[in-house]
Coordinates of all heavy atoms in Angstrom, one line a residue:
M1 N 105.8 -112.1 -33.2 CA 107.2 -112.5 -32.9 C 107.4 -114.0 -32.8 O 106.3 -114.6 -32.3 CB 107.5 -111.9 -31.6 CG 109.0 -112.0 -31.2 SD 110.1 -110.8 -32.0 CE 109.4 -109.3 -31.3
K2 N 108.4 -114.6 -33.2 CA 108.7 -116.0 -33.3 C 109.9 -116.3 -32.2 O 110.7 -115.4 -32.0 CB 109.0 -116.5 -34.7 CG 107.9 -116.3 -35.6 CD 106.7 -117.1 -35.4 CE 105.8 -117.0 -36.5 NZ 104.6 -118.0 -36.3
R3 N 109.8 -117.5 -31.8 CA 111.1 -117.9 -30.9 C 111.3 -119.4 -31.5 O 110.6 -120.2 -31.9 CB 110.8 -117.8 -29.5 CG 109.8 -118.8 -29.0 CD 109.4 -118.6 -27.6 NE 108.5 -119.6 -27.0 CZ 108.9 -120.6 -26.3 NH1 110.0 -120.7 -25.9 NH2 107.9 -121.4 -26.0
I4 N 112.7 -119.7 -31.0 CA 113.2 -121.1 -31.3 C 113.0 -122.0 -30.2 O 113.2 -121.5 -29.0 CB 114.6 -121.1 -31.7 CG1 115.0 -120.1 -32.8 CG2 115.1 -122.5 -31.8 CD1 116.4 -119.9 -32.9
V5 N 112.5 -123.1 -30.4 CA 112.3 -124.1 -29.3 C 113.1 -125.4 -29.6 O 112.9 -125.9 -30.8 CB 110.8 -124.4 -29.0 CG1 110.7 -125.6 -28.0 CG2 110.0 -123.3 -28.6
V6 N 113.9 -125.9 -28.9 CA 114.7 -127.2 -29.1 C 114.2 -128.2 -28.1 O 114.2 -128.0 -26.8 CB 116.2 -127.0 -29.0 CG1 116.9 -128.3 -29.0 CG2 116.7 -126.0 -30.1
D7 N 113.8 -129.4 -28.6 CA 113.3 -130.4 -27.8 C 114.6 -131.3 -27.5 O 114.9 -132.0 -28.2 CB 112.2 -131.3 -28.4 CG 111.8 -132.3 -27.6 OD1 112.3 -132.7 -26.6 OD2 110.7 -132.9 -28.0
R8 N 115.1 -131.3 -26.2 CA 116.4 -132.0 -25.9 C 116.0 -133.4 -25.8 O 116.9 -134.3 -25.7 CB 116.8 -131.5 -24.6 CG 117.6 -130.2 -24.7 CD 118.4 -129.9 -23.5 NE 119.3 -128.7 -23.7 CZ 120.3 -128.6 -22.8 NH1 120.7 -129.4 -22.0 NH2 121.1 -127.5 -23.0
V9 N 114.8 -133.9 -25.7 CA 114.5 -135.2 -25.6 C 114.8 -135.9 -26.8 O 115.2 -137.2 -26.9 CB 113.0 -135.5 -25.2 CG1 112.6 -137.0 -25.2 CG2 112.7 -135.0 -23.8
I10 N 114.6 -135.3 -27.9 CA 114.9 -135.9 -29.3 C 116.1 -135.4 -30.0 O 116.5 -135.9 -31.0 CB 113.6 -135.9 -30.3 CG1 113.3 -134.4 -30.5 CG2 112.4 -136.8 -29.6 CD1 112.1 -134.3 -31.4
C11 N 116.8 -134.3 -29.5 CA 118.0 -133.8 -30.0 C 119.0 -134.9 -30.0 O 119.2 -135.5 -29.0 CB 118.4 -132.5 -29.2 SG 120.1 -131.9 -29.7
L12 N 119.8 -135.0 -31.0 CA 120.9 -135.9 -31.1 C 122.2 -135.5 -30.9 O 123.3 -136.1 -30.9 CB 120.8 -136.5 -32.5 CG 119.8 -137.3 -33.1 CD1 119.7 -137.6 -34.5 CD2 119.3 -138.6 -32.2
K13 N 122.4 -134.1 -30.5 CA 123.5 -133.4 -30.4 C 124.4 -133.6 -31.6 O 125.7 -133.7 -31.4 CB 124.3 -133.9 -29.2 CG 123.6 -133.5 -27.7 CD 124.5 -133.4 -26.6 CE 124.9 -134.6 -26.1 NZ 125.7 -134.5 -24.9
A14 N 123.8 -133.7 -32.7 CA 124.7 -134.0 -33.9 C 125.4 -132.6 -34.3 O 126.4 -132.6 -35.1 CB 123.7 -134.4 -35.1
G15 N 124.8 -131.5 -34.0 CA 125.5 -130.2 -34.2 C 125.2 -129.6 -35.5 O 125.7 -128.4 -35.6
Q16 N 124.3 -129.9 -36.3 CA 124.1 -129.2 -37.6 C 123.6 -127.8 -37.3 O 124.0 -126.9 -38.0 CB 123.1 -129.9 -38.4 CG 123.7 -131.2 -39.3 CD 123.6 -132.4 -38.5 OE1 123.5 -132.5 -37.3 NE2 123.4 -133.5 -39.2
C17 N 122.8 -127.6 -36.4 CA 122.2 -126.3 -36.1 C 123.3 -125.3 -35.8 O 123.4 -124.2 -36.3 CB 121.2 -126.3 -35.0 SG 121.8 -127.1 -33.4
Y18 N 124.3 -125.7 -35.0 CA 125.2 -124.7 -34.5 C 126.4 -124.6 -35.4 O 126.9 -123.6 -35.6 CB 125.6 -124.8 -33.1 CG 126.1 -126.1 -32.5 CD1 127.2 -126.7 -32.8 CD2 125.2 -126.7 -31.7 CE1 127.5 -127.9 -32.2 CE2 125.4 -128.1 -31.2 CZ 126.6 -128.6 -31.4 OH 126.9 -129.8 -30.9
Y19 N 126.7 -125.7 -36.2 CA 127.7 -125.6 -37.3 C 127.3 -124.7 -38.5 O 127.9 -124.0 -39.0 CB 128.1 -127.0 -37.7 CG 128.9 -127.8 -36.7 CD1 128.6 -128.9 -36.4 CD2 130.0 -127.1 -36.0 CE1 129.3 -129.7 -35.3 CE2 130.7 -127.8 -35.1 CZ 130.4 -129.0 -34.8 OH 131.1 -129.7 -33.8
L20 N 126.0 -125.0 -38.9 CA 125.4 -124.3 -40.1 C 124.8 -123.0 -39.8 O 124.7 -122.2 -40.8 CB 124.7 -125.3 -40.8 CG 125.2 -126.6 -41.3 CD1 124.2 -127.6 -41.9 CD2 126.3 -126.4 -42.4
Q21 N 124.3 -122.8 -38.7 CA 123.5 -121.5 -38.4 C 124.1 -120.9 -37.1 O 123.4 -120.8 -36.0 CB 122.1 -121.8 -38.3 CG 121.5 -122.3 -39.5 CD 121.7 -121.3 -40.6 OE1 121.9 -120.1 -40.4 NE2 121.3 -121.9 -41.9
P22 N 125.3 -120.6 -37.0 CA 126.0 -120.0 -35.8 C 125.5 -118.6 -35.4 O 125.9 -118.1 -34.3 CB 127.4 -119.9 -36.3 CG 127.6 -119.9 -37.7 CD 126.4 -120.6 -38.2
S23 N 124.7 -118.0 -36.2 CA 124.2 -116.6 -35.8 C 123.0 -116.9 -34.8 O 122.8 -115.9 -34.0 CB 123.7 -115.9 -37.0 OG 122.7 -116.6 -37.7
V24 N 122.4 -118.0 -34.7 CA 121.3 -118.2 -33.8 C 121.5 -119.5 -32.8 O 120.8 -119.4 -31.9 CB 120.0 -118.5 -34.6 CG1 119.4 -117.1 -35.2 CG2 120.1 -119.4 -35.6
F25 N 122.6 -120.2 -33.1 CA 122.8 -121.3 -32.3 C 124.3 -121.4 -31.8 O 125.1 -121.0 -32.7 CB 122.5 -122.7 -32.8 CG 121.1 -123.0 -33.1 CD1 120.5 -122.6 -34.4 CD2 120.3 -123.5 -32.1 CE1 119.2 -122.9 -34.6 CE2 118.9 -123.8 -32.4 CZ 118.4 -123.4 -33.5
K26 N 124.6 -121.9 -30.7 CA 126.1 -122.2 -30.4 C 125.9 -123.4 -29.5 O 124.9 -123.9 -29.0 CB 126.8 -121.1 -29.7 CG 126.2 -120.8 -28.3 CD 127.0 -119.6 -27.6 CE 126.6 -119.6 -26.1 NZ 127.2 -118.4 -25.4
A27 N 127.1 -124.1 -29.4 CA 127.3 -125.3 -28.6 C 127.6 -125.0 -27.2 O 128.5 -124.2 -26.9 CB 128.2 -126.3 -29.2
D28 N 126.9 -125.7 -26.3 CA 127.4 -125.5 -25.0 C 128.6 -126.4 -24.7 O 128.9 -127.2 -25.6 CB 126.3 -125.6 -23.9 CG 125.7 -127.0 -23.8 OD1 126.4 -128.0 -24.2 OD2 124.7 -127.3 -23.1
S29 N 129.0 -126.5 -23.4 CA 130.2 -127.3 -23.1 C 130.0 -128.7 -23.2 O 131.0 -129.5 -23.3 CB 130.7 -127.0 -21.8 OG 129.7 -127.3 -20.8
Q30 N 128.8 -129.2 -23.3 CA 128.5 -130.7 -23.5 C 127.9 -130.9 -24.8 O 127.5 -132.2 -25.1 CB 127.5 -131.0 -22.4 CG 128.0 -130.9 -20.9 CD 127.1 -131.4 -19.9 OE1 125.9 -131.2 -20.0 NE2 127.7 -132.1 -18.9
G31 N 127.9 -130.0 -25.8 CA 127.5 -130.3 -27.0 C 126.0 -130.2 -27.4 O 125.6 -130.4 -28.4
W32 N 125.4 -129.6 -26.3 CA 123.8 -129.3 -26.6 C 123.8 -128.0 -27.3 O 124.5 -127.1 -27.0 CB 123.1 -129.2 -25.2 CG 122.9 -130.4 -24.5 CD1 123.6 -130.8 -23.3 CD2 122.0 -131.6 -24.7 NE1 123.2 -132.0 -22.9 CE2 122.2 -132.5 -23.8 CE3 121.1 -131.7 -25.7 CZ2 121.5 -133.7 -23.7 CZ3 120.4 -132.9 -25.6 CH2 120.6 -133.9 -24.7
P33 N 122.8 -127.9 -28.2 CA 122.6 -126.6 -28.8 C 122.1 -125.6 -27.7 O 121.1 -125.8 -27.1 CB 121.6 -126.9 -30.0 CG 120.8 -128.1 -29.5 CD 121.7 -129.0 -28.6
E34 N 122.7 -124.4 -27.8 CA 122.2 -123.3 -27.1 C 121.5 -122.2 -28.0 O 122.3 -121.9 -29.0 CB 123.4 -122.6 -26.2 CG 123.1 -122.0 -25.0 CD 124.4 -121.7 -24.1 OE1 124.9 -122.6 -23.6 OE2 124.8 -120.5 -24.4
I35 N 120.4 -121.6 -27.7 CA 119.9 -120.7 -28.5 C 120.5 -119.4 -28.2 O 120.4 -118.9 -27.0 CB 118.4 -120.7 -28.4 CG1 117.8 -122.0 -28.9 CG2 117.6 -119.5 -29.2 CD1 116.4 -122.2 -28.3
I36 N 121.0 -118.5 -29.1 CA 121.7 -117.3 -28.9 C 120.6 -116.3 -28.9 O 120.6 -115.3 -28.2 CB 122.8 -117.0 -30.0 CG1 123.8 -118.1 -30.0 CG2 123.2 -115.6 -29.8 CD1 124.8 -117.9 -31.1
I37 N 119.7 -116.2 -29.9 CA 118.7 -115.3 -30.1 C 117.2 -115.9 -29.6 O 116.8 -116.6 -30.3 CB 118.6 -114.8 -31.6 CG1 120.1 -114.1 -31.8 CG2 117.6 -113.7 -31.6 CD1 120.3 -113.8 -33.2
E38 N 116.8 -115.3 -28.4 CA 115.5 -115.8 -28.0 C 114.2 -115.4 -28.9 O 113.4 -116.2 -29.2 CB 115.4 -115.3 -26.5 CG 116.2 -116.1 -25.5 CD 116.1 -117.6 -25.4 OE1 115.0 -118.1 -25.7 OE2 117.0 -118.3 -25.2
Q39 N 114.3 -114.1 -29.1 CA 113.1 -113.4 -29.9 C 113.7 -113.3 -31.4 O 114.7 -112.5 -31.5 CB 112.7 -112.1 -29.2 CG 112.4 -112.3 -27.8 CD 111.0 -112.8 -27.6 OE1 110.1 -112.7 -28.4 NE2 110.9 -113.6 -26.5
L40 N 113.0 -113.8 -32.3 CA 113.4 -113.6 -33.7 C 112.8 -112.4 -34.3 O 111.9 -112.5 -35.0 CB 113.1 -115.0 -34.5 CG 113.8 -116.2 -33.9 CD1 113.2 -117.4 -34.6 CD2 115.2 -116.2 -34.2
E41 N 113.5 -111.3 -34.0 CA 113.0 -110.0 -34.6 C 113.3 -109.7 -35.9 O 112.8 -109.1 -36.7 CB 113.3 -108.8 -33.6 CG 112.8 -109.0 -32.2 CD 113.3 -107.8 -31.2 OE1 113.3 -106.8 -31.7 OE2 113.6 -108.2 -30.1
E42 N 114.6 -110.1 -36.3 CA 115.2 -109.9 -37.6 C 114.8 -111.0 -38.5 O 114.9 -112.1 -38.2 CB 116.7 -109.7 -37.4 CG 117.2 -108.7 -36.4 CD 116.9 -107.3 -36.9 OE1 116.7 -107.0 -38.1 OE2 116.6 -106.5 -36.0
E43 N 114.5 -110.5 -39.7 CA 114.1 -111.5 -40.8 C 115.3 -112.5 -41.1 O 115.0 -113.7 -41.2 CB 113.9 -110.8 -42.2 CG 113.2 -111.7 -43.2 CD 111.9 -112.2 -42.8 OE1 111.1 -111.6 -42.0 OE2 111.5 -113.3 -43.2
D44 N 116.5 -112.0 -41.1 CA 117.7 -113.0 -41.3 C 117.8 -114.0 -40.2 O 118.0 -115.2 -40.4 CB 119.0 -112.1 -41.3 CG 119.2 -111.3 -42.5 OD1 118.4 -111.5 -43.5 OD2 120.1 -110.5 -42.6
D45 N 117.5 -113.6 -38.9 CA 117.6 -114.6 -37.8 C 116.4 -115.6 -38.1 O 116.6 -116.8 -37.7 CB 117.4 -113.9 -36.5 CG 118.7 -113.0 -36.2 OD1 119.7 -113.3 -36.8 OD2 118.5 -112.1 -35.5
L46 N 115.3 -115.1 -38.3 CA 114.0 -116.0 -38.6 C 114.4 -117.0 -39.7 O 114.2 -118.2 -39.6 CB 112.8 -115.3 -39.0 CG 111.6 -116.2 -39.2 CD1 111.3 -117.0 -38.0 CD2 110.4 -115.2 -39.4
E47 N 115.0 -116.6 -40.8 CA 115.3 -117.5 -41.9 C 116.4 -118.4 -41.4 O 116.3 -119.6 -41.8 CB 115.9 -116.7 -43.1 CG 114.8 -115.9 -43.9 CD 115.2 -115.2 -45.0 OE1 116.4 -115.3 -45.3 OE2 114.5 -114.3 -45.6
A48 N 117.4 -118.0 -40.7 CA 118.4 -119.0 -40.1 C 117.8 -120.0 -39.3 O 118.1 -121.2 -39.3 CB 119.5 -118.1 -39.4
A49 N 116.9 -119.6 -38.4 CA 116.2 -120.6 -37.5 C 115.4 -121.5 -38.3 O 115.3 -122.8 -38.0 CB 115.3 -119.7 -36.7
E50 N 114.6 -121.1 -39.3 CA 113.9 -122.0 -40.2 C 114.8 -122.9 -41.0 O 114.3 -124.1 -41.0 CB 113.0 -121.1 -41.2 CG 111.9 -120.4 -40.4 CD 111.1 -119.4 -41.3 OE1 111.6 -119.0 -42.4 OE2 110.1 -119.1 -41.0
D51 N 115.9 -122.5 -41.4 CA 116.8 -123.4 -42.1 C 117.3 -124.5 -41.0 O 117.5 -125.6 -41.5 CB 118.1 -122.6 -42.6 CG 117.8 -121.9 -43.9 OD1 116.6 -122.1 -44.5 OD2 118.6 -121.1 -44.3
A52 N 117.6 -124.1 -39.9 CA 118.1 -124.9 -38.9 C 117.0 -126.1 -38.7 O 117.3 -127.2 -38.6 CB 118.5 -124.3 -37.5
A53 N 115.8 -125.7 -38.5 CA 114.7 -126.5 -38.4 C 114.5 -127.6 -39.4 O 114.2 -128.7 -39.2 CB 113.3 -125.8 -38.1
E54 N 114.8 -127.1 -40.7 CA 114.8 -128.0 -41.8 C 115.9 -129.1 -41.8 O 115.7 -130.2 -42.2 CB 114.8 -127.3 -43.1 CG 113.4 -126.7 -43.5 CD 113.5 -125.9 -44.8 OE1 114.2 -126.2 -45.6 OE2 112.6 -124.9 -44.9
I55 N 117.1 -128.7 -41.4 CA 118.2 -129.6 -41.5 C 118.5 -130.4 -40.3 O 119.1 -131.5 -40.3 CB 119.6 -128.7 -41.8 CG1 119.9 -127.7 -40.6 CG2 119.5 -128.0 -43.2 CD1 121.2 -127.2 -40.7
C56 N 117.8 -130.0 -39.2 CA 117.9 -130.9 -37.9 C 117.5 -132.3 -38.3 O 116.4 -132.5 -38.8 CB 117.0 -130.4 -36.7 SG 117.1 -131.3 -35.4
P57 N 118.4 -133.2 -38.2 CA 118.1 -134.6 -38.4 C 116.9 -135.3 -37.5 O 116.3 -136.3 -38.0 CB 119.4 -135.4 -38.3 CG 120.2 -134.6 -37.4 CD 119.7 -133.1 -37.6
S58 N 116.9 -134.8 -36.3 CA 115.9 -135.4 -35.5 C 114.5 -134.5 -35.4 O 113.5 -135.1 -34.7 CB 116.4 -135.6 -34.1 OG 116.6 -134.3 -33.5
G59 N 114.4 -133.4 -36.1 CA 113.2 -132.7 -36.0 C 113.0 -132.1 -34.7 O 111.9 -131.8 -34.2
A60 N 114.1 -131.8 -34.0 CA 114.0 -131.2 -32.7 C 113.8 -129.8 -32.5 O 113.5 -129.3 -31.4 CB 115.3 -131.6 -31.9
I61 N 114.0 -129.2 -33.6 CA 113.9 -127.6 -33.6 C 112.5 -127.2 -34.1 O 112.2 -127.6 -35.4 CB 115.0 -127.0 -34.4 CG1 116.3 -127.4 -34.0 CG2 114.8 -125.5 -34.5 CD1 117.6 -126.9 -34.8
T62 N 111.8 -126.4 -33.5 CA 110.5 -125.8 -34.0 C 110.6 -124.2 -33.7 O 111.3 -123.8 -32.9 CB 109.3 -126.4 -33.3 OG1 109.5 -126.3 -31.8 CG2 109.1 -127.9 -33.7
I63 N 109.9 -123.6 -34.6 CA 109.7 -122.2 -34.5 C 108.3 -121.9 -34.1 O 107.3 -122.3 -34.8 CB 109.9 -121.4 -35.8 CG1 111.2 -122.0 -36.6 CG2 110.0 -119.9 -35.7 CD1 112.5 -121.8 -35.9
E64 N 108.1 -121.2 -33.0 CA 106.7 -121.0 -32.4 C 106.5 -119.7 -32.1 O 107.4 -118.8 -32.1 CB 106.7 -121.9 -31.0 CG 106.9 -123.2 -31.2 CD 106.7 -124.1 -29.9 OE1 106.5 -123.4 -28.8 OE2 106.7 -125.3 -29.9
D65 N 105.3 -119.2 -32.0 CA 104.9 -117.9 -31.5 C 105.5 -117.5 -30.2 O 105.2 -118.4 -29.3 CB 103.4 -117.7 -31.6 CG 102.9 -117.6 -33.0 OD1 103.6 -117.3 -33.9 OD2 101.6 -118.1 -33.2
A66 N 106.1 -116.4 -30.1 CA 106.7 -116.1 -28.8 C 105.6 -115.6 -27.8 O 104.6 -115.2 -28.3 CB 107.7 -114.9 -29.0
Ligands
SF4_101 S1 120.7 -130.1 -35.4 FE1 118.9 -130.9 -34.2 S2 119.7 -132.8 -33.4 FE2 121.4 -131.6 -34.2 S3 122.3 -130.5 -32.4 FE3 120.7 -129.1 -33.3 S4 118.7 -129.6 -32.3 FE4 120.1 -131.2 -31.9

């Protein structure tokens, strides 16, 4: 099982993750990314999370073993 980890220290709040992959991320009231799906059980969710990790401009998103 995999899970998403966002490093808020380096996140720029640019929003690509939640604009482009809204199935796994959403914005909180202050523009921080919030992870919707904690455990990436579905292949589609894992692919969406991996795409987000690739497009994140600061490299703040990693996919780790849960
Ligand atoms: S794409 Fe990366 S930098 Fe932008 S809000 Fe998401 S985690 Fe933060």
Side-chain angles (χ1 to χ4, degrees):
M1 190 79 67
K2 301 285 188 180
R3 70 186 182 104
I4 304 168
V5 177
V6 173
D7 184 344
R8 283 197 176 198
V9 174
I10 58 175
C11 171
L12 303 168
K13 292 205 281 187
Q16 281 92 330
C17 55
Y18 45 79
Y19 289 129
L20 298 174
Q21 299 298 345
S23 61
V24 286
F25 293 93
K26 66 177 183 180
D28 73 8
S29 60
Q30 296 184 314
W32 291 105
E34 206 170 279
I35 298 163
I36 299 170
I37 300 174
E38 292 292 338
Q39 306 282 330
L40 299 168
E41 296 178 39
E42 304 293 332
E43 191 62 30
D44 286 353
D45 294 334
L46 178 58
E47 285 179 13
E50 289 173 339
D51 283 350
E54 278 181 31
I55 59 169
C56 174
S58 63
I61 299 170
T62 52
I63 312 299
E64 300 182 353
D65 289 332

